[in-house]
Amino acid sequence: MTVIQTVGVIGAGQMGRGIAQVFAQSGYDVMLQDVSSDALGIAEGFIRDRLDRNVSSGKMTVGERAETLGRLSYGSSIEPLGARDLIVESATEKEAVKVAIFESLLPHLSDHTLLTTNTSSLSITRLAAHTDRPERFMGLHFMNPVPVMKLVELIRGIATDETTFKTMQEVVARLGKTGTVSEDYPAFIVNRILVPMINEAVYTLFEGVGNVASIDASMKLGANQPMGPLELADFIGLDTCLSIMGVLNDGLADSKYRPCPLLVKYVEAGWLGRKTGRGFYDYRGADGIPVPTR
């Protein structure tokens, strides 16, 4: 199997910075790349804050924090990533963006580099076809928030070879995560089940069966869910939920995956959830208490 020591993470958003953190904590030399220097600055501050919390809670020593930070570097250029043993793409959930990233990487890649994508729904086989190494390409889908959630979905494309798969199984184990294996079908396992449930909750709101507070309270108290489905949608991002429903609807051609019109309207309004301050809840109040928007 390929020995992985150096890792490149593309995309310094919520997922990318979490992925970079867990790799660095697990002993890998990590470069986090993003075209936005502002995003890189935010990511670096976020990771430092997370590590400070780990020290305060006794989960990490001061020395371990320093070692982790020493294994992290940041940059806006994609070229230096080509020499890395493993690249994890974690850019926005838009196929055209991901394809452009992989195509821009090709001239700089070392022969041994493994490519993975953190896509939550898109075809691994189709993305791999835009590279020069589909046999060394696979899906590595982390859950949010990455430092907390224990699951990683491992998804092989049709061309992914056994060596690549076994190597990534070993990497996931070293990260202290549990890997589950999914076939390369739209939205894989977690989001194939989770996001249609969220979409159905939005339909329940849209049709007036219950309001936001009632729907979330019902599912938390009646189904023992830690977060209500609309609260969870805000946490994930309504644009991401809509994108995944679109992939399911297009890929499986089943009317049960039709995105709720109300979900579409919220996204059109720019009410994307926590990251924009407003979604099914309004997070902009001075007291910090989320207020239902319906």
Side-chain angles (χ1 to χ4, degrees):
M1 291 189 295
T2 304
V3 177
I4 305 298
Q5 296 177 315
T6 61
V7 178
V9 179
I10 299 174
Q14 189 175 41
M15 294 299 292
R17 66 197 184 199
I19 293 169
Q21 178 187 329
V22 297
F23 269 101
Q25 283 182 224
S26 300
Y28 294 97
D29 180 287
V30 182
M31 176 178 288
L32 179 59
Q33 184 273 343
D34 198 290
V35 293
S36 167
S37 57
D38 289 342
L40 289 171
I42 291 169
E44 183 174 5
F46 182 88
I47 292 171
R48 286 181 178 276
D49 179 64
R50 284 285 184 180
L51 296 181
D52 287 344
R53 292 185 190 183
N54 287 345
V55 172
S56 298
S57 64
K59 296 177 181 177
M60 171 182 283
T61 67
V62 173
E64 288 170 338
R65 173 189 178 278
E67 289 173 0
T68 298
L69 290 174
R71 288 190 285 265
L72 279 161
S73 59
Y74 304 85
S76 57
S77 175
I78 206 166
E79 287 86 349
L81 297 184
R84 300 258 145 181
D85 301 324
L86 169 66
I87 293 175
V88 183
E89 174 275 317
S90 189
T92 186
E93 190 69 357
K94 294 181 180 178
E95 186 164 345
V97 172
K98 294 179 184 293
V99 167
I101 287 170
F102 286 120
E103 289 181 344
S104 69
L105 269 171
L106 292 183
H108 312 290
L109 289 176
S110 298
D111 290 340
H112 73 283
T113 302
L114 300 184
L115 298 177
T116 64
T117 175
N118 183 51
T119 180
S120 56
S121 62
L122 299 172
S123 168
I124 304 303
T125 298
R126 197 162 59 239
L127 289 173
H130 290 277
T131 76
D132 63 350
R133 58 197 70 203
E135 72 283 355
R136 296 197 298 282
F137 186 107
M138 64 179 288
L140 198 64
H141 180 216
F142 291 83
M143 304 296 119
N144 185 33
V146 180
V148 176
M149 302 296 281
K150 294 297 185 182
L151 179 69
V152 178
E153 288 183 313
L154 295 157
I155 310 105
R156 282 177 282 199
I158 195 170
T160 306
D161 64 28
E162 190 66 14
T163 300
T164 298
F165 178 69
K166 293 293 186 184
T167 298
M168 295 318 302
Q169 279 188 313
E170 292 291 329
V171 168
V172 168
R174 181 173 166 183
L175 295 177
K177 307 290 188 185
T178 297
T180 58
V181 180
S182 171
E183 294 299 319
D184 185 19
Y185 289 104
F188 318 127
I189 295 173
V190 172
N191 284 329
R192 171 77 176 263
I193 297 168
L194 176 65
V195 180
M197 184 271 289
I198 289 173
N199 192 56
E200 191 62 28
V202 182
Y203 265 115
T204 305
L205 177 65
F206 178 57
E207 295 169 1
V209 179
N211 60 25
V212 169
S214 293
I215 292 167
D216 277 354
S218 294
M219 294 306 293
K220 285 192 285 186
L221 300 177
N224 204 30
Q225 294 185 353
M227 297 174 71
L230 301 176
E231 180 185 6
L232 180 57
D234 276 0
F235 181 75
I236 294 170
L238 304 193
D239 53 339
T240 300
C241 292
L242 180 58
S243 174
I244 293 169
M245 286 307 301
V247 169
L248 285 166
N249 193 41
D250 294 342
L252 299 174
D254 191 322
S255 61
K256 70 181 180 181
Y257 297 117
R258 183 172 68 95
C260 179
L262 184 60
L263 178 61
V264 175
K265 287 297 181 186
Y266 268 67
V267 173
E268 288 176 342
W271 294 18
L272 307 182
R274 287 183 177 270
K275 60 187 174 184
T276 59
R278 188 162 49 176
F280 292 113
Y281 292 86
D282 192 327
Y283 302 90
R284 300 172 300 168
D287 56 7
I289 299 174
V291 177
T293 53
R294 281 182 176 245

